[in-house]
Amino acid sequence: MMKFLNLISTKICSKNSFVSRTKNLLIQNFVYTVFFFFFCGLISISAQNHPLKTYNKNDGLPSLHIKGGVQDRTGYLWLASDKGLIRYNGNSFITYTSQNGLISNNINVVKANNNTLFIGTDKGLSIKNHNGFNNFEGNSVNCVLTVNNHTFLGTDKGIVRVREDYLSPLRTNFQIDLNKVNDIQFDGKFYWVATNKSLWKLDKLINPEVLDRIDVNNYTSILIDGKTIIATTYNNGLKFITDNEIDTQTITSQNIKGIKKINNQFWVISEDEGIEVLDANFNFERTINKYNTLTTNKISTAFQDSDKNTWIGTQDKGIYFIKSDRPNLKKPTISFESIEVVFKSIDSININGYEKTLQLPADKNHISFYYKTVDITNSNNLEYRYTLNNQVSPWSKKSTIDLAYLSPGNYTFTAQSKIGELESDPIEFNFFIDTPIYQKKWFIWSAIGLVSLLLGSIIWLYVRRIQAKNKTKVAKLQLENHLLSLEQKALQLQMNPHFIFNVLNGIKALGNSGKSVELNATISRFATLLRGVLHNSRQEEICLTEEITTLKNYIELEQQMNPKPFEYSIITNLTLDPEEILIPPMLIQPFVENSIKHGISSVENGKVDIHFSVKNDFLHCEIVDNGIGIHQSKKIKTTSTHQSVALKVTQERIESLSKKSTFHIDEIIEGKQVKGTKVAFKIPLKTDF
């Protein structure tokens, strides 16, 4: 234009050479002024034809570099930027970054398939659904194509297929596999692949049989318009492919990044020269750039939403919005954004596609529903209402409801939205809250039965206790008459004669001292022990409960007769009832006797711990004392050899029970000091059922 003005000025000066220099300057300034106001008028008219709204950081955008955009089924607008994924609902922007689960903040492309988003980044792919983000690490992703439930990615190194857990590179040929794939499109029969070196046509992306290179060039994007394939090159215009014939159309713009069909026009997007608009016959119509409409020539993308509003993403000025001049007459669409049970979001199901009835326990009776209609141009005119089991709320701006302290039963929740007189189809969610357990009939009857059983057991135990007292009196008389014979029998049943001698002397001493109560108790305990030994010796196997009872009687007699007090414990860690576990009789007593006589007899605060446990079909037994240790006791041992013989015989019995069983006697050493002795063995687990 400056050249044109200078040319007019030169002609004026040549035709009026006799006019003074001052007059020529006045004429030249007048011409400049006329053209200036004419140019401003064109800009004003253009701006009126295309009313713009700019969104930048002041409106909540985290970045001014918008690389792509798409609208999902709900109506949310999703923008790809170099600082994360941006969601716009008509009022505000929300940004998702790597802190929210994205694989990278530098996003190249975003595509929507229903409400699933495929987010291509410089480090691979992120997929966003109702559960959050799933990430697939890989090369930089430039484009996404979903065909027949298969998703393919164009990357900096060929094409990859999105599998369930990983990205699978596709092998076509090295000229595709090793180059940058800028775009992939499917025309219903063939796949068209634009790389930075060539344009390709394939019948299949997986094991293709047709693999034709259409042209060699730096191809940046592909648009399918009917039967015509329109491909853009970076600096060589547009390519039209029809029936394998290719035509070229040169355009003014260079550095072309893509082409979009908007309002029956073709918008050719340049990364530094704005947008060149072609009509339906691909004739030049106008330009959209910083000289007439925008404030920048650095354009990244352009697209339309479902209301035919146009969005223009830039590299340095954010995003422009051009409102459609067509009225929006379609009814709104509503969907659930979130459903919370006791303030915890339900992430295990797809809440917008859940056709079953959600089963909730009685204590989960606080439910919150969040629902939303997204309308970019009418966000301030939206109203909502909900229905709970035929109870309808009034219309309001509120799009959430908390339902607290719900009673047990079945519920149906529906929600609707409206813009003006247009109402959305209702969405529905069914849930069931269970009855508290204490209100259920089976629990009430069970409680009554349990109380009745408890009362019967108490009465039965009381009767048994009276009977047991009478039996104890009779047993005492019988035991006193057979005390001497039991002493002789005990010698044959591995009972140490010194122990029996000490018990008898103790009984005698109690008799001489006149302590009849203690005398009776001691005689009763000793008689019970001897009777148990006599009874058990006639059996090949007894239950573990009987063995433990015999051990308790024996140890308590040892406590009573031993000059130094000591403690003991019998610990059971069993998965079965001790009554059901069988064990050879008198298997533990010799080791306990050895611990008492030779382990803790010379220490203060002696202690013997006996452990029974079941592991891997074996009964494990451990006898642990805090005495002087087995080696020291052997050095000072002066008693008869009865104890050694008993230990040896018992060890042989244990080893004969199972070839897999083990037997260990070890000293417990802490800090180079002997802290006691541990006897451990295991025998095969045997039960009486």
Side-chain angles (χ1 to χ4, degrees):
M1 182 175 286
M2 294 300 297
K3 291 181 179 179
F4 180 69
L5 294 175
N6 290 332
L7 178 61
I8 294 176
S9 177
T10 302
K11 289 182 179 181
I12 293 175
C13 292
S14 63
K15 290 181 181 180
N16 299 281
S17 58
F18 61 89
V19 184
S20 66
R21 183 178 183 84
T22 303
K23 186 176 181 179
N24 289 340
L25 289 174
L26 290 173
I27 294 172
Q28 185 177 8
N29 289 337
F30 174 76
V31 174
Y32 273 114
T33 302
V34 171
F35 274 94
F36 173 77
F37 283 106
F38 176 75
F39 183 68
C40 290
L42 289 177
I43 294 176
S44 177
I45 294 171
S46 176
Q48 291 175 4
N49 291 336
H50 303 283
L52 285 178
K53 178 176 176 58
T54 306
Y55 294 97
N56 51 39
K57 290 185 177 180
N58 293 331
D59 302 293
L61 276 178
S63 170
L64 298 180
H65 189 180
I66 305 301
K67 302 181 183 181
V70 71
Q71 191 175 33
D72 64 16
R73 185 175 62 181
T74 301
Y76 285 113
L77 202 68
W78 298 89
L79 305 177
S81 78
D82 61 344
K83 292 185 179 179
L85 178 67
I86 306 168
R87 191 187 77 178
Y88 183 58
N89 62 4
N91 289 320
S92 60
F93 295 93
I94 296 178
T95 304
Y96 298 86
T97 65
S98 57
Q99 293 183 349
N100 304 109
L102 275 173
I103 194 172
S104 171
N105 292 339
N106 191 7
I107 301 173
N108 300 324
V109 62
V110 56
K111 293 290 183 181
N113 184 13
N114 294 324
N115 276 349
T116 298
L117 293 180
F118 294 88
I119 306 147
T121 75
D122 62 339
K123 295 182 180 179
L125 178 72
S126 290
I127 299 178
K128 185 181 185 306
N129 51 36
H130 69 279
N131 288 325
F133 291 96
N134 292 325
N135 294 322
F136 302 83
E137 188 174 351
N139 295 315
S140 181
V141 178
N142 306 310
C143 60
V144 180
L145 174 67
T146 299
V147 177
N148 298 328
N149 296 323
H150 296 294
T151 300
F152 304 97
L153 309 177
T155 73
D156 281 355
K157 286 191 177 181
I159 304 171
V160 300
R161 178 185 175 189
V162 181
R163 307 300 291 268
E164 184 176 355
D165 298 318
Y166 63 97
L167 299 181
S168 174
L170 300 182
R171 303 305 178 196
T172 53
N173 65 22
F174 72 94
Q175 294 178 337
I176 297 178
D177 299 342
L178 299 179
N179 288 321
K180 180 180 179 181
V181 176
N182 293 316
D183 200 3
I184 308 172
Q185 296 294 335
F186 181 64
D187 64 6
K189 184 177 181 182
F190 293 102
Y191 292 88
W192 298 84
V193 180
T195 74
N196 61 333
K197 297 294 180 65
S198 305
L199 178 66
W200 297 83
K201 182 177 78 171
L202 297 81
D203 63 335
K204 295 180 293 184
L205 292 180
I206 304 172
N207 301 321
E209 297 177 2
V210 176
L211 184 60
D212 296 335
R213 184 169 65 182
I214 304 301
D215 186 43
V216 177
N217 220 312
N218 183 2
Y219 280 88
T220 55
S221 71
I222 301 169
L223 176 65
I224 299 176
D225 184 40
K227 295 183 178 181
T228 302
I229 308 300
I230 307 167
T232 61
T233 64
Y234 192 66
N235 282 321
N236 291 289
L238 306 180
K239 304 290 183 177
F240 300 89
I241 300 96
T242 305
D243 297 330
N244 289 334
E245 293 184 3
I246 184 168
D247 294 325
T248 303
Q249 177 172 327
T250 303
I251 58 176
T252 304
S253 300
Q254 297 293 309
N255 303 336
I256 299 172
K257 296 299 293 182
I259 183 171
K260 297 294 180 66
K261 189 172 184 179
I262 297 176
N263 295 331
N264 206 31
Q265 298 172 329
F266 295 93
W267 289 27
V268 181
I269 301 168
S270 170
E271 66 181 4
D272 53 13
E273 295 184 12
I275 299 173
E276 185 171 338
V277 180
L278 309 178
D279 63 15
N281 297 318
F282 297 96
N283 298 316
F284 175 82
E285 188 168 298
R286 61 191 172 94
T287 59
I288 302 175
N289 53 35
K290 67 180 181 180
Y291 301 109
N292 53 35
T293 307
L294 310 178
T295 59
T296 181
N297 278 349
K298 297 182 177 181
I299 309 300
S300 302
T301 185
F303 61 93
Q304 283 189 313
D305 59 27
S306 60
D307 296 327
K308 300 301 180 181
N309 302 309
T310 304
W311 301 82
I312 301 174
T314 72
Q315 300 179 38
D316 56 356
K317 297 295 182 181
I319 191 166
Y320 293 95
F321 169 71
I322 304 175
K323 186 175 181 180
S324 173
D325 55 1
R326 303 175 186 177
N328 181 15
L329 300 177
K330 68 176 184 178
K331 62 182 180 181
T333 302
I334 189 172
S335 61
F336 289 113
E337 282 197 313
S338 176
I339 299 177
E340 295 181 355
V341 177
V342 194
F343 309 107
K344 185 176 181 181
S345 180
I346 303 175
D347 297 326
S348 59
I349 62 174
N350 182 6
I351 57 178
N352 284 296
Y354 194 69
E355 298 179 354
K356 300 179 181 179
T357 298
L358 182 65
Q359 304 292 322
L360 297 174
D363 59 335
K364 306 295 184 182
N365 61 346
H366 188 148
I367 304 177
S368 302
F369 289 92
Y370 300 84
Y371 36 89
K372 188 73 174 178
T373 289
V374 179
D375 192 295
I376 301 299
T377 56
N378 295 287
S379 57
N380 294 325
N381 299 323
L382 286 166
E383 291 184 302
Y384 302 91
R385 73 177 178 186
Y386 71 89
T387 303
L388 183 67
N389 285 0
N390 300 321
Q391 295 182 358
V392 184
S393 72
W395 291 101
S396 70
K397 296 289 185 180
K398 190 177 180 181
S399 61
T400 179
I401 183 65
D402 290 325
L403 305 173
Y405 305 109
L406 293 173
S407 301
N410 286 292
Y411 290 90
T412 298
F413 179 89
T414 61
Q416 273 186 291
S417 64
K418 74 172 183 177
I419 302 175
E421 299 300 324
L422 295 174
E423 296 183 4
S424 70
D425 293 330
I427 53 175
E428 182 178 292
F429 190 85
N430 298 298
F431 61 97
F432 170 77
I433 299 178
D434 198 6
T435 304
I437 189 172
Y438 59 84
Q439 295 181 5
K440 295 184 177 182
K441 292 183 178 180
W442 67 265
F443 179 84
I444 296 174
W445 285 109
S446 298
I448 294 173
L450 183 61
V451 171
S452 300
L453 180 61
L454 182 61
L455 291 175
S457 299
I458 293 173
I459 295 172
W460 180 77
L461 288 174
Y462 178 74
V463 173
R464 288 292 303 272
R465 184 176 298 176
I466 294 175
Q467 293 175 346
K469 288 182 178 180
N470 295 330
K471 290 182 179 180
T472 302
K473 293 179 180 179
V474 175
K476 285 182 180 180
L477 296 175
Q478 293 175 346
L479 288 173
E480 289 174 355
N481 293 330
H482 297 284
L483 187 60
L484 295 176
S485 61
L486 286 177
E487 180 183 5
Q488 188 68 28
K489 291 288 185 180
L491 293 174
Q492 300 175 2
L493 300 175
Q494 302 181 356
M495 188 67 71
N496 194 317
H498 292 282
F499 165 73
I500 298 174
F501 180 76
N502 290 338
V503 172
L504 293 176
N505 281 337
I507 293 172
K508 181 179 179 181
L510 291 173
N512 293 333
S513 62
K515 298 179 179 179
S516 61
V517 176
E518 294 183 13
L519 174 64
N520 291 336
T522 303
I523 294 174
S524 177
R525 187 178 294 115
F526 185 54
T528 301
L529 174 63
L530 293 179
R531 183 173 58 183
V533 171
L534 285 170
H535 175 267
N536 295 342
S537 65
R538 299 187 183 96
Q539 309 293 326
E540 293 185 2
E541 294 172 335
I542 61 173
C543 68
L544 183 58
T545 301
E546 294 178 346
E547 180 73 5
I548 292 174
T549 302
T550 302
L551 285 174
K552 286 182 178 179
N553 287 327
Y554 167 72
I555 296 173
E556 289 172 2
L557 284 171
E558 284 282 12
Q559 284 180 318
Q560 188 173 352
M561 299 300 130
N562 204 302
K564 288 187 177 182
F566 67 90
E567 297 179 356
Y568 82 97
S569 65
I570 299 177
I571 302 171
T572 58
N573 183 16
L574 306 172
T575 57
L576 298 174
D577 192 329
E579 291 281 355
E580 299 173 350
I581 299 176
L582 300 179
I583 184 174
M586 297 297 291
L587 199 63
I588 313 297
Q589 187 272 337
F591 302 112
V592 176
E593 183 178 353
N594 191 64
S595 294
I596 295 172
K597 295 298 182 182
H598 304 291
I600 63 174
S601 59
S602 58
V603 300
E604 299 293 334
N605 299 320
K607 186 175 182 181
V608 178
D609 295 324
I610 305 169
H611 300 263
F612 294 97
S613 61
V614 174
K615 298 178 183 177
N616 301 326
D617 295 329
F618 277 89
L619 177 65
H620 291 251
C621 304
E622 293 182 358
I623 300 95
V624 181
D625 65 63
N626 62 345
I628 61 175
I630 187 172
H631 299 303
Q632 183 65 23
S633 66
K634 287 181 178 180
K635 293 179 181 179
I636 62 175
K637 186 175 180 182
T638 58
T639 60
S640 68
T641 60
H642 175 84
Q643 190 70 19
S644 299
V645 173
L647 290 176
K648 183 176 180 181
V649 171
T650 304
Q651 181 176 348
E652 291 177 355
R653 290 176 65 195
I654 293 172
E655 292 177 348
S656 67
L657 291 174
S658 175
K659 301 299 181 182
K660 297 181 180 179
S661 63
T662 57
F663 181 91
H664 299 284
I665 300 180
D666 300 305
E667 287 187 339
I668 302 172
I669 300 176
E670 295 180 3
K672 296 183 180 181
Q673 292 185 357
V674 177
K675 297 295 184 179
T677 303
K678 176 181 178 180
V679 179
F681 63 88
K682 62 180 180 179
I683 61 175
L685 180 64
K686 190 172 182 181
T687 62
D688 63 352
F689 60 86

